[in-house]
Amino acid sequence: MPVFHTKTIESILEPVAQQISHLVIMHEEGEVDGKAIPDLTAPVAAVQAAVSNLVRVGKETVQTTEDQLMKRDMPPAFIKVENACTKLVQAAHMLKADPYSVPARDYLIDGSRGILSGTSDLLLTFDEAEVRKIIRVCKGILEYLTVAEVVEGMEDLVTYTKNLGPGMTKMAKMIDERQQELTHQEHRVMLVNSMNTVKELLPVLISAIKIFVTTKSSKSQGVEEALKNRNFTVEKMSTEINEIIRVLQLTSWDEDAWANKDSEAMKRALALIDSKINQAKGWLRDPNAQSGDAGEQAIRQILDEAGKVGELCAGKERRDILGTAKTLGQMTDQVSELRARGQGATPMAMQKAQQVSQGLDLLSSKVENAARKLEAMTNSKQVLTKNIDAAQNWLADPYGGPEGEEHIRGIMSEAKKIADLCEDPKEREDILRSLGEIAALTAKLSDLRRQGKGDTPEARALAKQIATTLQNLQSKTNRAVANSRPVKAAVNLEGKIEQAQRWIDNPTIDDRGVGQAAMRGLVAEGRRLANAMLGPYRQELLGKCDRVEQLSAHLAELAARGEGESPQARAVAAQLQESLKDMKSKMQEAMTQEVSDIFSDTTTPIKLLAVAATAPPGAPNREEVFDERAAYFEHHAAKLGGTAEKAAAVGTANKSTVEGIQAAVKSSRELTPQVVSAARILLRNPGNQAAHEHFETMKNQWIDNVEKMTGLVDEAIDTKSLLDASEEAIKKDIDKCRVAMANVQPQMLVAGATSIARRANRILLVAKREVENSEDPKFREIVKAASDDLSKTISPMVMDAKAVAGNIQDPGLQKSFLDSGYRILGAVAKVREAFQPQEPDFPPPPPDLDQLHLNEEPAPPKPPLPEGEVPPPRPPPPEEKDEEFPEEKAGEMVNQQMMVAARQLHEEARKWSSKGNDIIGAAKRMALLMAEMSRLVRGVTGNKRALIQCAKDIAKASDEVTRLAKEVAKQCTDKRIRTNLLQVCERIPTISTQLKILSTVKATMLGRTNISEEESEQATEMLVHNAQNLMQSVKETVREAEAASIKIRTDAGFTLRWARKTPWYQ
């Protein structure tokens, strides 16, 4: 089947497919309409010339290459293309003699399909060889990174740096060229991000090696920490380069990303549970421990992490973990309540506490088992993937030794492990059947090679057959691992809400459990937020989560009984909708408040760590102060990461922002212990320049990452809500300062004033980012003026706070400080008001009626009154005629996945009137055309011509959506929204071109009996996948275009009318 992961492949296949589509249509006209097929000699000769040129270039390449895999895979592609060309030429000659020849029509359609398939195989083989060249360079860098372990002197370091530099430059250049060639946006982003990380880590690696060499050669303290820094950097760079190698080999979706992320999340959760379990049990053992203290918080964190793991599991495993965590949460609430009432030592409270303690052990065991199972499956999958390359190289070499058999045995061993862990018996049997086939074929090939017959046609055919079977085995194991995981809901809040809403509206539809998975994800995030809140607030949010969970379970139960459309189900769905809306609102309010508190100051702890690390050797309690600052820094970094993850999950961020936050959080977690190690080296080597430079390098990298995280978190939440929360927090800080002055507590006053200053500076940072993001001069001017006013109020408040702290009972100083605080509050209010939606400019008022002078001429006569007793009614306004989405008829054959994707786009577009909005009009047309394609692709009528024309019409509408979206983006004054719109709409042309090619491939198979069912299904699957992507991209483009139209230039002269069919308030 064709693949289109590069622009070169797409640009070659598109014109070939276009020529083939004409031939397919001619075939249909002859077969169905009985028309005579015209002379095809000229068009066939053009196709033959183009393809022959491609084959000639390919054969020349094979002659000069040393790539054994290319030499093995190219010849079959040449044969397929040349045989197809021969059929086309024969068909042309036969049709010239007899325009109605049936055998000639068969040759025509089979040759057309062979041309497309063979050309695709040839291009893919060549592209794989190009990828292998890049991978060889990457593997060379990987091998040279390990040499860092033997660098022990400055001369070695200089040599190492000189040798590493050119290789890194070459790899970076090749990766940059490759990413520009890729058509998959996600793959481009992954390559760029990994390469950027490697570039950023290079100076860190040199610094880490330098400090290791310095401390070791001078026999200073800190050698162990320096070794950890160096090894961490080498491992991190190796991980990123391995990720580059993995992504380079992708030709479709990223199948492994979820497994890696899930495995990392489970390991992190297990580590956190282990680190908190003793503290939690200590609180449970002590009947006098206070409610709400660190021990209880440890239990909440354990339950929170276990809940995360539960959501990553499927079936019984998920139910067990989530059920146990929920029960333990309720029992912990009871213990906490009893202790709050002073009844912690009663037999009932003691028994409950012991039950919770035992339950934590059970929960920890379940989490560990889940993590071990996922790790076993993903490890087997990764080992299998690594061995595949070595096995393919052995198969390509007719003189390969017996070591290749070991690789194949290794593949079979790992595949067997995956089969043993499979819950689906059909999948398990399928894998085991492939293993038996591979074992038999490999034994036969090995026997031939031992006889010196490895280069015979029989041996080469066997090698090719084994290679194909290995690829099929890899696909089967990948599918088995993917199917062992739960259905994935969207990564962002709006996506989950949409999926949940779709299920609520139609609980009987088969969405593979996505809607309920989204609902569970929302409830889990709500509980996670609640666990960080204080008593009554926590109970309120937990109550809302429980309500949504109960209603969701009730609706699912009704749907399972076949009562999903009953009045009772509709009533439950309405209640669920309201409860979900209520829970979402409360979650976002809690999350915004947490972001306002935690992100009010991100860098003070690392600055305090730097001060402690550079303290003079004679400073009192030098080591103790450092340990305290290091612990505070690590705790602060963990809180930043946890809050950022909540903002990603609960905020208004899109998918790319969510993934950016997750990457920044991961990087922060990895960097934090390395910063502490670098600081400890500096502490133990005062005055050492290399130690100082290394710490500064690590510190700056951590700060840069946190600043990036902060910017992404700000994108993820509503700016006005953040400003509202910050303003409320400043009011509370002022009240605390007032209490501190009344109670003569200068330290409490200083803490409150510091908090006010930090929050004010945080507001300035948010405002500055919004000014940089906007190109609206009026908005920029208003926000900048309000920010300047706020900036001027901060220093006077700090000075007044210092003054009153020195003489806290002075009424005059107290008044001056409070006045300064209220000036800050007033300035914050002005910044907040600058972000209020601007009222439209109203026309000037009408002139005074007394100043109007009428002409003295007589008025024209009155028209006659209408005859009859009642005047005729006013004609109604013309109704907008939206073509309804076609309903499926009973027994009608359609492709359900395509139909569902089309329906979802139509539902999105129908929210808006298409009057004065060509984007909406084109989107609706695309949805209806895709619904039609869902019927044509089943091939019941064998209408090839209609399928090809439908794809062309969809591509034409796609071009219109893209053109209009780019025009909207050009006039949008918000840079972020503009970038988002361009990113989603730039995918559309590539996907629509692929749709035309895939439709042509599918058309060549309709009505044919000489096509295997597997080949036909594969073609349908690729076409369906493409259609789903196209509908999703257009749907996202519609949303982003609507958002962009709000921030359109007033002088643009380009307008799209966005009028909701059903207003949001109804």
Side-chain angles (χ1 to χ4, degrees):
M1 285 297 105
V3 289
F4 320 92
H5 59 291
T6 74
K7 293 173 184 174
T8 299
I9 292 177
E10 187 182 290
S11 66
I12 294 172
L13 280 181
E14 185 186 8
V16 173
Q18 197 168 354
Q19 291 289 335
I20 296 301
S21 69
H22 293 317
L23 298 178
V24 172
I25 290 170
M26 287 179 189
H27 172 273
E28 176 127 307
E29 286 174 346
E31 188 176 57
V32 178
D33 302 342
K35 289 183 180 179
I37 296 180
D39 184 4
L40 297 178
T41 308
V44 166
V47 171
Q48 186 184 22
V51 172
S52 297
N53 186 50
L54 195 63
V55 170
R56 180 181 57 78
V57 173
K59 285 183 176 178
E60 289 172 1
T61 306
V62 168
Q63 292 298 320
T64 57
T65 187
E66 295 180 3
D67 188 325
Q68 292 298 321
L69 287 175
M70 190 180 191
K71 284 186 173 181
R72 184 197 72 190
D73 293 340
M74 273 291 197
F78 295 152
I79 293 167
K80 186 186 281 189
V81 171
E82 287 167 340
N83 288 346
C85 262
T86 302
K87 282 189 176 181
L88 277 184
V89 172
Q90 285 179 322
H93 287 315
M94 292 166 72
L95 288 166
K96 192 172 184 180
D98 178 8
Y100 298 96
S101 170
V102 174
R105 288 203 302 262
D106 288 343
Y107 272 16
L108 181 67
I109 199 72
D110 291 342
S112 298
R113 184 174 61 255
I115 287 281
L116 264 179
S117 178
T119 306
S120 175
D121 289 352
L122 195 150
L123 292 170
L124 180 60
T125 302
F126 182 78
D127 186 70
E128 285 173 343
E130 291 299 302
V131 168
R132 285 194 288 273
K133 288 179 187 176
I134 305 173
I135 289 174
R136 278 195 290 274
V137 174
C138 293
K139 286 184 174 177
I141 298 291
L142 272 177
E143 288 173 10
Y144 199 65
L145 282 176
T146 60
V147 176
E149 295 175 8
V150 297
V151 175
E152 296 188 348
M154 292 305 291
E155 288 183 10
D156 292 344
L157 177 57
V158 171
T159 305
Y160 183 78
T161 307
K162 282 182 179 178
N163 291 341
L164 183 61
M168 289 287 290
T169 303
K170 184 179 181 181
M171 182 175 75
K173 184 173 182 290
M174 294 177 88
I175 296 300
D176 184 54
E177 289 170 355
R178 180 65 182 178
Q179 66 87 13
Q180 291 179 38
E181 173 71 0
L182 295 177
T183 56
H184 285 288
Q185 193 179 73
E186 294 84 356
H187 297 172
R188 290 204 304 270
V189 170
M190 286 191 283
L191 281 181
V192 169
N193 287 346
S194 289
M195 193 63 238
N196 285 343
T197 303
V198 171
K199 288 177 184 175
E200 289 165 6
L201 286 170
L202 184 57
V204 178
L205 173 65
I206 304 304
S207 175
I209 298 173
K210 185 179 178 182
I211 189 61
F212 171 73
V213 168
T214 305
T215 51
K216 188 172 183 181
S217 59
S218 62
K219 297 182 180 177
S220 308
Q221 293 185 41
V223 175
E224 189 180 335
E225 284 81 3
L227 184 64
K228 283 180 183 176
N229 271 179
R230 187 201 69 188
N231 291 348
F232 160 77
T233 312
V234 169
E235 186 181 342
K236 177 71 174 167
M237 290 178 78
S238 300
T239 301
E240 293 297 338
I241 294 172
N242 277 316
E243 175 68 1
I244 287 171
I245 291 171
R246 187 184 72 81
V247 175
L248 282 171
Q249 296 175 86
L250 294 174
T251 57
S252 56
W253 316 121
D254 181 15
E255 297 168 334
D256 291 338
W258 66 265
N260 294 336
K261 288 178 181 176
D262 285 4
S263 188
E264 285 175 12
M266 283 189 176
K267 287 177 186 175
R268 189 169 63 245
L270 193 57
L272 196 141
I273 289 171
D274 287 344
S275 69
K276 296 286 181 183
I277 198 87
N278 288 335
Q279 188 180 18
K281 286 187 172 183
W283 182 80
L284 290 165
R285 280 195 301 269
D286 182 3
N288 299 315
Q290 293 299 306
S291 172
D293 73 4
E296 184 183 347
Q297 291 304 314
I299 296 175
R300 306 282 180 199
Q301 284 178 289
I302 289 170
L303 300 180
D304 184 20
E305 294 300 319
K308 289 180 186 177
V309 172
E311 288 300 327
L312 297 175
C313 298
K316 183 176 181 297
E317 196 172 44
R318 185 183 68 80
R319 289 193 297 274
D320 277 355
I321 292 174
L322 293 180
T324 304
K326 186 178 178 183
T327 302
L328 289 175
Q330 292 167 345
M331 292 170 71
T332 303
D333 287 342
Q334 294 167 3
V335 173
S336 180
E337 191 178 337
L338 287 167
R339 290 183 178 180
R341 295 204 301 259
Q343 299 172 9
T346 61
M348 180 181 173
M350 298 281 281
Q351 184 185 11
K352 287 277 183 193
Q354 187 178 3
Q355 289 172 347
V356 173
S357 183
Q358 292 167 350
L360 288 176
D361 288 333
L362 177 64
L363 182 64
S364 178
S365 172
K366 289 179 178 180
V367 168
E368 188 175 358
N369 289 338
R372 194 180 294 121
K373 180 183 174 183
L374 176 60
E375 187 175 15
M377 292 191 90
T378 51
N379 283 350
S380 289
K381 183 180 173 185
Q382 286 163 4
V383 172
L384 188 150
T385 302
K386 286 178 182 175
N387 280 336
I388 283 276
D389 285 344
Q392 294 284 20
N393 286 327
W394 177 72
L395 290 167
D397 181 5
Y399 307 106
E403 69 281 353
E405 291 181 70
E406 291 300 318
H407 292 301
I408 291 182
R409 276 196 284 271
I411 290 168
M412 294 171 66
S413 171
E414 297 303 329
K416 176 73 165 54
K417 289 177 186 175
I418 292 173
D420 291 341
L421 290 167
C422 275
E423 293 182 4
D424 186 339
K426 186 180 175 185
E427 281 184 342
R428 183 166 55 248
E429 290 301 320
D430 206 13
I431 293 172
L432 293 175
R433 197 180 307 114
S434 291
L435 291 177
E437 186 181 347
I438 291 168
L441 291 170
T442 305
K444 196 172 178 183
L445 177 63
S446 298
D447 190 39
L448 286 171
R449 287 188 173 179
R450 276 193 291 271
Q451 296 173 31
K453 299 178 181 178
D455 205 14
T456 60
E458 183 188 2
R460 285 188 174 277
L462 267 174
K464 180 66 179 171
Q465 190 178 354
I466 295 169
T468 304
T469 312
L470 282 175
Q471 287 175 338
N472 291 337
L473 176 67
Q474 188 177 17
S475 298
K476 289 173 183 177
T477 52
N478 287 350
R479 198 179 305 119
V481 174
N483 290 343
S484 71
R485 312 310 305 150
V487 186
K488 289 286 180 182
V491 295
N492 59 336
L493 179 76
E494 293 304 324
K496 286 192 183 82
I497 290 286
E498 182 187 349
Q499 290 169 337
Q501 187 63 55
R502 203 178 295 140
W503 175 71
I504 292 170
D505 292 340
N506 192 354
T508 58
I509 197 168
D510 179 17
D511 65 350
R512 298 179 301 114
V514 170
Q516 292 183 66
M519 195 74 76
R520 289 195 301 270
L522 290 166
V523 170
E525 291 298 342
R527 288 188 173 131
R528 209 162 290 138
L529 277 168
N531 282 336
M533 299 168 76
L534 298 174
Y537 301 105
R538 180 173 68 242
Q539 293 305 324
E540 183 186 5
L541 182 51
L542 284 174
K544 293 181 187 300
C545 294
D546 288 344
R547 176 69 173 157
V548 168
E549 188 175 55
Q550 289 161 7
L551 289 169
S552 177
H554 192 187
L555 185 60
E557 185 184 340
L558 288 169
R561 294 206 306 256
E563 300 172 17
E565 300 295 337
S566 65
Q568 184 185 5
R570 284 197 289 273
V572 171
Q575 292 174 43
L576 178 55
Q577 204 163 359
E578 282 303 311
S579 298
L580 185 62
K581 185 179 173 184
D582 193 24
M583 183 182 79
K584 174 191 169 186
S585 173
K586 201 69 187 173
M587 284 165 65
Q588 290 189 318
E589 182 186 326
M591 182 270 301
T592 306
Q593 186 60 59
E594 187 172 331
V595 169
S596 170
D597 291 340
I598 303 300
F599 276 83
S600 63
D601 178 29
T602 56
T603 56
T604 294
I606 198 170
K607 290 174 183 175
L608 293 174
L609 179 66
V611 171
T614 54
N621 302 321
R622 189 167 174 264
E623 288 276 350
E624 290 79 1
V625 169
F626 177 86
D627 289 341
E628 184 183 316
R629 298 277 174 84
Y632 175 50
F633 166 66
E634 288 176 324
H635 175 68
H636 177 71
K639 283 173 70 178
L640 286 174
T643 302
E645 284 181 324
K646 291 174 188 175
V650 183
T652 56
N654 58 23
K655 184 172 178 281
S656 63
T657 304
V658 169
E659 289 173 348
I661 291 173
Q662 289 170 345
V665 170
K666 182 187 174 193
S667 185
S668 172
R669 285 183 175 134
E670 290 171 343
L671 280 171
T672 298
Q674 304 308 317
V675 171
V676 173
S677 291
R680 201 175 296 279
I681 294 168
L682 182 58
L683 178 78
R684 292 175 178 174
N685 297 274
N688 185 315
Q689 186 62 26
H692 179 75
E693 288 173 1
H694 180 59
F695 174 69
E696 285 297 312
T697 301
M698 298 302 297
K699 183 184 82 170
N700 291 337
Q701 193 179 23
W702 189 91
I703 290 173
D704 289 346
N705 184 69
V706 165
E707 285 178 354
K708 179 183 175 184
M709 186 200 298
T710 305
L712 289 166
V713 166
D714 288 350
E715 281 182 33
I717 58 178
D718 178 59
T719 302
K720 187 179 174 300
S721 299
L722 179 59
L723 295 177
D724 285 341
S726 299
E727 187 177 4
E728 284 302 312
I730 289 174
K731 286 178 184 176
K732 290 177 182 175
D733 285 335
I734 291 174
D735 290 340
K736 286 177 187 174
C737 290
R738 194 194 298 278
V739 171
M741 289 187 293
N743 295 336
V744 193
Q745 293 176 306
Q747 286 185 329
M748 183 177 170
L749 172 77
V750 170
T754 303
S755 178
I756 292 169
R758 285 173 180 164
R759 292 183 191 279
N761 280 313
R762 177 82 172 92
I763 290 168
L764 287 176
L765 177 64
V766 171
K768 182 187 174 188
R769 284 203 175 114
E770 290 300 320
V771 168
E772 290 171 352
N773 178 60
S774 178
E775 292 177 353
D776 183 341
K778 187 176 178 182
F779 173 78
R780 286 167 61 96
E781 185 183 342
I782 293 170
V783 175
K784 193 172 182 308
S787 298
D788 289 344
D789 289 345
L790 175 58
S791 180
K792 292 170 187 173
T793 63
I794 298 172
S795 291
M797 186 278 296
V798 172
M799 298 298 292
D800 288 341
K802 287 180 180 177
V804 77
N807 188 3
I808 198 166
Q809 292 180 302
D810 187 318
L813 294 176
Q814 289 182 357
K815 184 177 183 304
S816 296
F817 168 72
L818 288 173
D819 289 345
S820 297
Y822 286 123
R823 276 194 291 275
I824 284 183
L825 204 53
V828 167
K830 283 186 180 178
V831 174
R832 174 177 50 77
E833 287 164 9
F835 285 88
Q836 297 276 19
Q838 298 296 310
E839 293 292 333
D841 293 330
F842 287 100
D848 190 349
L849 293 177
D850 293 338
Q851 297 177 4
L852 293 177
H853 299 287
L854 298 177
N855 200 324
E856 297 298 329
E857 293 179 10
K862 291 181 180 180
L865 293 171
E867 296 180 5
E869 297 179 2
V870 183
R874 177 181 293 181
E879 288 186 15
E880 182 181 343
K881 290 185 179 177
D882 254 352
E883 196 171 338
E884 290 295 320
F885 194 80
E887 292 298 326
E888 293 175 45
K889 298 169 186 172
E892 187 178 28
M893 301 286 283
V894 299
N895 184 285
Q896 278 297 335
Q897 291 167 295
M898 290 177 81
M899 181 64 86
V900 167
R903 186 187 297 278
Q904 288 173 4
L905 173 60
H906 197 263
E907 286 172 358
E908 182 67 33
R910 281 201 66 186
K911 294 176 184 175
W912 308 96
S913 168
S914 52
K915 281 186 180 177
N917 192 323
D918 291 340
I919 288 182
I920 293 299
K924 289 176 182 175
R925 281 199 306 280
M926 287 181 72
L928 296 171
L929 285 165
M930 191 59 75
E932 177 62 20
M933 184 175 274
S934 74
R935 295 181 174 84
L936 294 171
V937 82
R938 293 302 297 262
V940 178
T941 58
N943 197 333
K944 306 175 183 67
R945 182 174 30 188
L947 178 59
I948 290 170
Q949 187 57 48
C950 188
K952 287 180 179 177
D953 291 341
I954 290 172
K956 187 177 177 182
S958 299
D959 292 342
E960 188 177 357
V961 169
T962 305
R963 179 183 63 78
L964 291 167
K966 285 183 176 177
E967 193 64 39
V968 171
K970 194 188 298 182
Q971 306 299 340
C972 179
T973 60
D974 189 300
K975 294 177 186 175
R976 265 198 305 271
I977 295 176
R978 181 200 304 155
T979 302
N980 291 342
L981 176 54
L982 289 173
Q983 281 177 345
V984 295
C985 81
E986 80 164 359
R987 298 199 297 257
I988 295 175
T990 294
I991 301 173
S992 64
T993 299
Q994 293 171 4
L995 182 77
K996 287 191 290 184
I997 300 171
L998 287 168
S999 298
T1000 302
V1001 173
K1002 184 62 184 175
T1004 63
M1005 297 180 176
L1006 293 179
R1008 305 300 295 163
T1009 56
N1010 60 344
I1011 305 293
S1012 70
E1013 187 179 343
E1014 186 180 354
E1015 191 178 0
S1016 179
E1017 280 303 311
Q1018 191 181 6
T1020 303
E1021 191 178 320
M1022 288 183 73
L1023 184 58
V1024 167
H1025 206 39
N1026 179 276
Q1028 290 173 320
N1029 275 342
L1030 184 57
M1031 296 294 96
Q1032 182 63 28
S1033 295
V1034 174
K1035 187 165 73 170
E1036 290 176 17
T1037 300
V1038 167
R1039 290 176 179 173
E1040 293 293 346
E1042 190 272 330
S1045 67
I1046 297 169
K1047 300 288 183 78
I1048 208 103
R1049 296 176 194 278
T1050 52
D1051 59 347
F1054 174 84
T1055 55
L1056 284 176
R1057 178 175 170 271
W1058 293 88
R1060 277 191 181 272
K1061 286 285 199 67
T1062 305
W1064 61 270
Y1065 49 80
Q1066 287 187 5

